[in-house]
Every structure is written in structure tokens, then in C-alpha cells.
């Protein structure tokens, strides 16, 4: 029944060489069916060359609200950014 | 801090984010009224896409050529897809598909009242694509900047597809206007019947609109009903004139000072009558939707049974 259907997240690669990009979600009974639905719902005009479907419950996500504990230690490492290193007079680009 | 203070702080953070043109995402804290307001608006929008398939589906088997039939089928398929994008966006707010469909069936949730008018002739398919989809685009373009992320992203996808809908409708009208006198009459008759309901699609005047002020503050809505309606009129009048159609409004006149068309008074009594359930096709539209839903029950059941069987097979092999 409909209430047993799983939620799937859909990712589409628009052409070779590009990343798969999240485009939306849909309900399906299994991943093969999710793939067929994704084709009908998200690629009616040749929007993609490849589709990924992933059961939403299999995704583990960090939260923006956890930003502090998650990313804080990274902010005190300016030496990771090229902009920290000054160039001498006469060298415009490196 | 006590509970009231916590939610006050959260509400300030929430409003600050909106004021800074940042999007609200599903897991963010949001005021309960923002959530409810969005569920109301998005589900109403989703239902409109789906119910809107009915007046158009009515002409698929009678389209005048194979090409027109293929085009109309593609358009109606798009509408189903748009409904799905929007239901999915609404579901991120913690409501289920079943609840949304149930609210449509009980009348607790509305859909665009224009779909309660019948599509009597082939020209109506032209008028719906041209006027109804144009009106929808004017509204939806502004909603691409709505504050709720999933809704805004659904709008971007929908707007990409809508311009085909509008053009195929205008093309039907244009073709009829190049035809025999009877065909031109048919096109004019369709415009006469669909013009005013199209203007009503933008909802009550700004001063009368029940949800407008709060929705603007929360940036759920980005432009006012009257502002959007004026843009639609300015565009459509020019498009009508270009193919020889006459807009059925004796008060319509270009206002040089405003740089816009002035137009006649909208019959809000008719709007109220239709939106509250007494338009020409309200009962038929809902009955048809319920019927299709009930008749599809065995398909959903069969799919679920197939899944159970596949899983038990996989277990046996393992």
C-alpha cells in the first residue's frame, strides 16, 4: 500500500563530466521502481544521462546547527588558504 | 531561559534569516504558523496541478490531429509531474501524501477555482494553455524566490517546463484565428469564458486577502495579488490583440500615466461561489479524483504484494 512505500532521493547527472545533482524525491516500493519513476518524473526532456536513487533513510546527514562542533577547528588554519602567502614585489601571479 | 523566551529567540533568528534572503530548509526551526501556512499553500498548489489535468484530459481523445494529441498528452503528463514535485515539497514539512489527498477529498484543502469550469470546445484547450498557464507562470516566477527552500526549488523546475504549456496554448488560438469564421468565433468564445476566471486566479484584492500580509513578511509570497494580476493583464491584452482576439472587458483601457492597462471590476461573488464548491464542475472534479484514487487501489496493493514476494524470495536464496 501507498503508506508502506519508501522515500527515495533522486540525483541526476546532466551530462558526462558533471556531478550527479540532487533534483528531488519520490515514493517507490523498491529501488528499481524508484529508478523508473525518476526517469518519468525528472528527465522528461533529456535532462540527464544517468540517475542515482538512494533510499532517504540510508542517508546520514550532518546538521547546519552542528556547524560549530563540526567545523570550528578548521577555521584557525589560515595556512590552508593560498591567500595567506604574500607575493614579493614584481610577482603579480603565482 | 523559560520556554517562551527560547521560542522568541528562535523566532528572531528565523525572521533574521528570512530578512537576509536566506532559505529556510526542512530541518530548521520554524514557527508553527509558517509551517501550516506553507502546507496550505503548497498543497493547494499541488492539488491545482493534478485537478487541472481533468479539463485538459477531456480533450485528449478528441484532439484535432495526432500531433496535437501528442502535445496535449505531454502537457498533461507535465502537470502530473508538477503535482508530484509539490507534494514532495509539502511532505518535507511533516505531512503525509495520504493526509494531503484526504484533505482534498474532504474539501478541507482547496485547489485553483478555475479548474471548476468546463472545457466545452477544442479552443478551450488553447485558452487554458495560453491564459491559465500564463497566469500560473506570472505567479510561479515570483515564487522561485519564496523563502522555503524545497518549494523554491520545485518552482524553478516547474517554470522551466511551463513555457511550453503557454506556447502550445497560444499556438492553438493563433491557428484558430487564421482559420474559417467559425473557428475564429470558437477562439473568441473560449477567451470570453476564460478571461475573467483567469483574473480571479490571482486571488482577492490585496486589502481583502486573508493570508497576504503575513505571507509577505515571511516571504512565502513575494509579490502581491494585485501586482501579479496587473502584470498578467498587460501581457495578455497585447497577445490577444496580436492575433485579432478581443478581450471581453468594455472598461479595458491603456492608462498612459500608470503605464498599465486599467481593467473592469471582477465579479467576486462568482469567485466566492466557485471556490466554496458551487462552480459548474466542482462536484464532478472531486468525484472523478476520488474515483480514480479508489480504482487504483488494486494497483497499489499488487505492487506492495509483489515487493513482499520479492523480498521473501531474496531471503530464501540467502
Amino acid at each position: 500500500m501507498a503508506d508502506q512505500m519508501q522515500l527515495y532521493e533522486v540525483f541526476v547527472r546532466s551530462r558526462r563530466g558533471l556531478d550527479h545533482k540532487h533534483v528531488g524525491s519520490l515514493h517507490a516500493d523498491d529501488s528499481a521502481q524508484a529508478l523508473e519513476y525518476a526517469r518519468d518524473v525528472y528527465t522528461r526532456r533529456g535532462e540527464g544521462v544517468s540517475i542515482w536513487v538512494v533510499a532517504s533513510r540510508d542517508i546520514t546527514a550532518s546538521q547546519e546547527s552542528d556547524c560549530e562542533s563540526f567545523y570550528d577547528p578548521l577555521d584557525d588554519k589560515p595556512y590552508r588558504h593560498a591567500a595567506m602567502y604574500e607575493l614579493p614585489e614584481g610577482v603579480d601571479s603565482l | 531561559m523559560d520556554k517562551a523566551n527560547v521560542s522568541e529567540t528562535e523566532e528572531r533568528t528565523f525572521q533574521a534569516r528570512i530578512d537576509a534572503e536566506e532559505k529556510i530548509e526542512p530541518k530548521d526551526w520554524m514557527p508553527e504558523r509558517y509551517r501550516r501556512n506553507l502546507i496550505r499553500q503548497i498543497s493547494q498548489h499541488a492539488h491545482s496541478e493534478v485537478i487541472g489535468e481533468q479539463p485538459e484530459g477531456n480533450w485528449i481523445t478528441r484532439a484535432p490531429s495526432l500531433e496535437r494529441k501528442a502535445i496535449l498528452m505531454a502537457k498533461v503528463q507535465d502537470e502530473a509531474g508538477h503535482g508530484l514535485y509539490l507534494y514532495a515539497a509539502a511532505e518535507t514539512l511533516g505531512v503525509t501524501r495520504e493526509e494531503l489527498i484526504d484533505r482534498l477529498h474532504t474539501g478541507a484543502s482547496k485547489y485553483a477555482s478555475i479548474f471548476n469550469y468546463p472545457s466545452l470546445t477544442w479552443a478551450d484547450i488553447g485558452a487554458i494553455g495560453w491564459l491559465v498557464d500564463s497566469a500560473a507562470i506570472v505567479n510561479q516566477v515570483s515564487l522561485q524566490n519564496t523563502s522555503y527552500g524545497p518549494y523554491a526549488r520545485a518552482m524553478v523546475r516547474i517554470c522551466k517546463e511551463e513555457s511550453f504549456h503557454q506556447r502550445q496554448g497560444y499556438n492553438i488560438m493563433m491557428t484558430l484565428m487564421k482559420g474559417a469564421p467559425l473557428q475564429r468565433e470558437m477562439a473568441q468564445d473560449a477567451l470570453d469564458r476564460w478571461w475573467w476566471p483567469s483574473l480571479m486566479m490571482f486571488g482577492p484584492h490585496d486589502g481583502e486577502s486573508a493570508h497576504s500580509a503575513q505571507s509577505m513578511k515571511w516571504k512565502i509570497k513575494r509579490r502581491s495579488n494585485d501586482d501579479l494580476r496587473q502584470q498578467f493583464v498587460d501581457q495578455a491584452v497585447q497577445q490577444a490583440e496580436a492575433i485579432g482576439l478581443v478581450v471581453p472587458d468594455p472598461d479595458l483601457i491603456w492608462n498612459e500615466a500608470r503605464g498599465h492597462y486599467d481593467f473592469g471590476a471582477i465579479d467576486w461573488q462568482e469567485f466566492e461561489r466557485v471556490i466554496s464548491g458551487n462552480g459548474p464542475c466542482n462536484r464532478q472534479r472531486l468525484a472523478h479524483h476520488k474515483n480514480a484514487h479508489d480504482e487504483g487501489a488494486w494497483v497499489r496493493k499488487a505492487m506492495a504484494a509483489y515487493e513482499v514476494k520479492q523480498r521473501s524470495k531474496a531471503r530464501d536464496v540467502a
Side-chain angles (χ1 to χ4, degrees):
Chain A
M1 294 301 293
D3 55 335
Q4 292 171 337
M5 281 203 211
Q6 287 193 67
L7 190 62
Y8 285 85
E9 300 301 324
V10 182
F11 300 79
V12 172
R13 183 204 289 282
S14 56
R15 60 187 164 82
R16 288 182 69 88
L18 295 182
D19 295 325
H20 282 77
K21 196 178 161 217
H22 185 241
V23 293
S25 57
L26 48 77
H27 291 285
D29 274 312
D30 64 26
S31 43
Q33 194 184 69
L35 203 53
E36 276 181 33
Y37 286 173
R39 179 200 60 190
D40 291 347
V41 175
Y42 292 105
T43 61
R44 285 194 299 284
R45 291 176 175 77
E47 286 91 340
V49 292
S50 156
I51 303 174
W52 286 350
V53 289
V54 183
S56 309
R57 64 161 179 232
D58 290 338
I59 293 177
T60 310
S62 76
Q63 295 302 320
E64 238 183 276
S65 52
D66 302 337
C67 256
E68 225 166 283
S69 58
F70 227 67
Y71 298 115
D72 204 29
L74 306 181
D75 289 340
D76 58 5
K77 297 180 177 64
Y79 46 84
R80 283 188 165 146
H81 299 278
M84 193 189 93
Y85 306 92
E86 276 173 31
L87 294 180
E89 206 70 30
V91 179
D92 296 332
S93 64
L94 188 76
Chain B
M1 266 195 294
D2 61 29
K3 215 174 158 195
N5 278 341
V6 172
S7 77
E8 214 172 276
T9 315
E10 277 171 328
E11 182 142 9
R12 260 202 304 275
T13 315
F14 167 85
Q15 189 62 48
R17 186 170 267 163
I18 285 177
D19 293 342
E21 291 291 324
E22 280 180 34
K23 298 291 180 215
I24 304 300
E25 294 296 343
K27 297 274 167 71
D28 293 341
W29 184 91
M30 59 186 86
E32 195 47 37
R33 280 179 308 139
Y34 176 84
R35 183 189 302 275
R36 276 205 307 272
N37 204 335
L38 266 176
I39 291 176
R40 183 190 57 79
Q41 183 171 328
I42 301 175
S43 65
Q44 183 172 320
H45 200 154
H47 299 327
S48 302
E49 300 282 355
V50 171
I51 296 289
E53 291 174 67
Q54 290 187 40
E56 299 193 297
N58 179 33
W59 279 90
I60 289 178
T61 56
R62 295 173 290 162
S65 69
L66 189 56
E67 191 189 28
R68 290 287 190 199
K69 182 187 275 197
I71 291 171
L72 187 54
M73 276 168 54
K75 180 186 190 290
V76 172
Q77 191 191 14
D78 276 354
E79 305 299 2
H82 295 177
L84 199 123
Y85 301 155
L86 288 160
Y87 282 126
E91 285 165 54
T92 62
L93 292 158
V95 63
T96 65
R97 185 80 52 94
E98 288 70 26
E99 287 173 277
L100 294 171
I101 301 296
D102 191 57
R103 284 180 205 172
L104 171 67
H105 288 169
T106 61
S109 184
K110 306 270 187 233
Y111 54 88
S113 71
I114 196 156
F115 298 121
N116 292 313
Y117 292 86
S119 51
L120 302 175
T121 71
W122 171 250
D124 288 22
I125 299 307
I128 292 173
W130 168 41
L131 297 173
V132 179
D133 287 87
S134 289
I137 291 172
V138 167
N139 188 34
Q140 288 170 170
V141 164
S142 83
L143 288 174
Q144 289 181 97
N145 293 318
T146 190
S147 60
Y148 188 56
Y151 192 25
R153 292 190 286 274
M155 280 302 116
V156 171
R157 271 197 300 280
I158 288 174
C159 285
K160 264 188 209 159
E161 300 183 347
E162 288 280 5
S163 58
F164 141 63
H165 298 178
Q166 178 188 28
R167 288 211 183 185
Q168 65 86 37
Y170 190 61
N171 184 272
I172 290 172
M173 295 304 254
M174 194 175 76
T175 307
L176 287 169
M177 289 307 286
K178 285 183 192 156
L182 268 176
Q183 289 172 308
R184 290 201 294 276
E185 272 171 39
M186 192 164 87
Q188 182 63 51
D189 167 63
L191 172 60
D192 291 348
R193 283 180 291 109
W194 290 92
W195 175 257
W196 290 104
S198 298
L199 296 198
M200 294 174 197
M201 275 179 76
F202 296 94
H205 287 307
D206 297 344
E208 316 279 320
S209 178
H211 308 284
S212 271
Q214 184 63 68
S215 288
M216 295 286 272
K217 181 169 176 250
W218 279 334
K219 298 187 180 170
I220 293 175
K221 280 172 74 161
R222 300 310 308 259
R223 290 174 60 196
S224 79
N225 293 354
D226 285 327
D227 190 18
L228 294 165
R229 184 165 22 237
Q230 181 72 60
Q231 184 189 337
F232 169 78
V233 169
D234 291 348
Q235 290 172 2
V237 168
Q238 200 187 16
Q239 290 158 358
E241 281 171 357
I243 55 175
L245 286 165
V246 181
V247 173
D249 178 357
D251 298 323
L252 186 78
I253 188 165
W254 177 253
N255 183 326
E256 193 67 51
R258 287 203 311 130
H260 293 292
Y261 281 96
D262 290 339
F263 51 95
I266 292 168
D267 180 355
W268 293 111
Q269 276 178 343
E270 176 177 329
F271 177 74
E272 282 304 322
R273 194 166 63 239
V274 178
I275 200 113
S276 59
N278 295 310
C281 303
N282 296 56
R283 289 170 192 79
Q284 184 188 336
R285 297 289 184 242
L286 273 184
H288 185 80
H289 191 279
K290 275 183 208 154
N291 205 24
H293 192 69
D294 294 344
E295 283 181 358
W298 71 271
V299 179
R300 296 191 292 274
K301 225 168 161 175
M303 278 163 45
Y306 177 79
E307 254 336 282
V308 171
K309 198 169 153 192
Q310 293 302 308
R311 271 197 287 269
S312 77
K313 268 189 191 169
R315 260 200 310 277
D316 291 347
V317 173

